[in-house]
Amino acid sequence: MLRSTYNWSLGDRIAQSNQQFIQGDYCDIRTKREACPLTCFVSKNGASGEPWKDAKFDQDGRLKNPRRSAGDIQVTALPELKKARPWFGEIDSTVLQQNVKRLDTAYKNFFSARRCANEGRGFPKFKNRSNFTSFTYQMGAKVQGNKVYLPKLGWMRFFNSRVIPEGFTIKAATIRKRQDGWYASIRIEDKTIPDYVQKPLNEVNSILGCDLGITKLVHLSDRHQIDNPKFSTNKKARRTLKIRQRRVSRKVKGSKNRKKAATKLGRFHKKITNKRVAYQWDIANLIVSRKVDAIALEDLNVSGSAIR
């Protein structure tokens, strides 16, 4: 259902953008109304409503409320969506709102990538089952021992891998589907903890420099080198990946056996990812434990995306 709302919102924005910049004013045969591209690319006769709704003016006649974005329009249209499709009432309202904001983030990344001439992030695409596997609760999540409460879903058991410290409150929870099950990432906050204050440059006496290596993972300025285990490219991992990828390719497309083989391959990739992330956290802990005033890092284009 979240995937359908995401695709519906994206389709609505694309349709209204075409009306504004490509087709111009025209009469919609289905609704028998005139499209008005002068208001917004999500027009007043589109699926998302009026951009100037609830606008207020001050005594001088100036607009007090700014013009609403397409995301704000689609968020305020969610109650109408629930009336038209009552089964969306089974989803928490904050989850639906975050789903629309997720599309806003995709648009923002696309236009920022165009301004920076970075081709790594393309135009938002319609989602299918395989690439839409997460959702976020903005409020209402609770944790008690080995049980977690998710609004509209209720209490359920889970493996509490990290106990929430005393004094912290749960701000949000993101549920993600992985190859070996479902995971909950919980964001917590304690306002009594003071913010970290950065040292001014004139008080920095010792600096530790970190350089990304080729054969080694990191070269430090104190001549210390950190090994790179190469979890995915060592002999044993490459052989296992080759066997499991071959098993997937030999199965009939769309069959249950192919899905089982793909699941085993995904679990092995997940295992490699877990090892790599755990090792990186250990190395980060090792670096920050050095008694220095500052740590200097290179600003590298590690992903290798094209930049003009």
Side-chain angles (χ1 to χ4, degrees):
M1 288 191 289
L2 289 175
R3 188 177 73 251
S4 67
T5 56
Y6 183 94
N7 292 338
W8 176 82
S9 301
L10 177 59
D12 179 55
R13 298 191 190 192
I14 294 175
Q16 302 304 325
S17 178
N18 290 338
Q19 291 177 15
Q20 178 180 1
F21 298 108
I22 299 176
Q23 298 171 351
D25 291 342
Y26 77 103
C27 179
D28 192 348
I29 299 177
R30 181 173 61 85
T31 61
K32 297 181 180 179
R33 295 180 180 178
E34 181 184 355
C36 184
L38 298 177
T39 56
C40 181
F41 64 93
V42 181
S43 72
K44 66 180 181 181
N45 297 324
S48 301
E50 171 65 48
W52 299 103
K53 187 177 181 180
D54 298 332
K56 296 182 180 180
F57 297 87
D58 56 13
Q59 297 178 354
D60 298 332
R62 291 175 297 184
L63 185 66
K64 294 175 63 177
N65 295 344
R67 177 175 172 172
R68 298 187 301 169
S69 64
D72 295 334
I73 296 172
Q74 291 177 334
V75 166
T76 54
L78 290 176
E80 299 178 7
L81 175 66
K82 290 183 179 180
K83 291 180 181 179
R85 300 171 176 85
W87 54 86
F88 279 103
E90 301 175 4
I91 304 178
D92 185 66
S93 59
T94 61
V95 176
L96 290 171
Q97 293 169 10
Q98 293 301 314
N99 199 34
V100 177
K101 292 181 180 179
R102 181 178 183 174
L103 179 59
D104 284 342
T105 303
Y107 266 91
K108 182 179 178 181
N109 293 338
F110 168 68
F111 286 111
S112 63
R114 288 187 61 185
R115 285 193 295 268
C116 299
N118 189 346
E119 299 177 357
R121 292 175 175 177
F123 188 80
K125 299 180 181 179
F126 292 98
K127 301 291 185 181
N128 54 31
R129 268 190 175 182
S130 61
N131 59 12
F132 199 95
T133 56
S134 65
F135 55 93
T136 301
Y137 288 94
Q138 199 62 23
M139 60 178 66
K142 304 175 185 177
V143 175
Q144 289 183 2
N146 63 342
K147 291 186 178 180
V148 60
Y149 175 80
L150 301 176
K152 298 290 185 177
L153 295 179
W155 290 96
M156 60 188 70
R157 291 185 298 173
F158 82 123
F159 177 71
N160 193 356
S161 60
R162 189 174 304 173
V163 180
I164 298 176
E166 294 183 2
F168 284 83
T169 57
I170 297 177
K171 302 299 293 183
T174 299
I175 314 301
R176 295 184 176 90
K177 185 181 180 182
R178 293 292 182 258
Q179 289 80 3
D180 54 349
W182 292 84
Y183 288 79
S185 301
I186 299 175
R187 187 169 74 245
I188 57 179
E189 180 187 24
D190 187 0
K191 295 183 179 180
T192 61
I193 297 178
D195 294 334
Y196 176 77
V197 180
Q198 231 176 357
K199 275 188 176 182
L201 290 177
N202 54 5
E203 296 182 8
V204 175
N205 298 320
S206 58
I207 300 177
L208 179 67
C210 302
D211 184 16
L212 181 65
I214 299 176
T215 57
K216 300 291 183 179
L217 183 63
V218 180
H219 296 269
L220 303 180
S221 59
D222 58 358
R223 297 186 179 182
H224 185 75
Q225 297 179 352
I226 298 175
D227 294 329
N228 186 2
K230 297 182 179 180
F231 297 104
S232 61
T233 57
N234 59 61
K235 185 177 180 181
K236 183 178 179 181
R238 282 190 286 107
R239 184 176 182 275
T240 305
L241 283 173
K242 182 178 179 181
I243 293 173
R244 297 196 179 185
Q245 288 171 349
R246 185 190 299 147
R247 288 175 181 174
V248 174
S249 62
R250 287 181 176 178
K251 299 292 189 297
V252 178
K253 290 185 178 180
S255 64
K256 292 184 178 180
N257 287 333
R258 187 182 178 93
K259 291 181 180 179
K260 291 179 182 179
T263 301
K264 289 184 179 180
L265 176 62
R267 286 179 179 176
F268 187 73
H269 279 292
K270 180 71 166 47
K271 186 177 181 180
I272 292 175
T273 303
N274 292 341
K275 288 182 178 180
R276 185 184 295 114
V277 172
Y279 183 75
Q280 290 174 352
W281 277 109
D282 291 339
I283 297 306
N285 187 28
L286 176 67
I287 293 175
V288 298
S289 62
R290 302 294 180 93
K291 294 182 179 180
V292 293
D293 295 331
I295 298 174
L297 304 174
E298 286 184 294
D299 187 12
L300 295 177
N301 183 23
V302 179
S303 60
S305 54
I307 297 179
R308 296 179 181 177

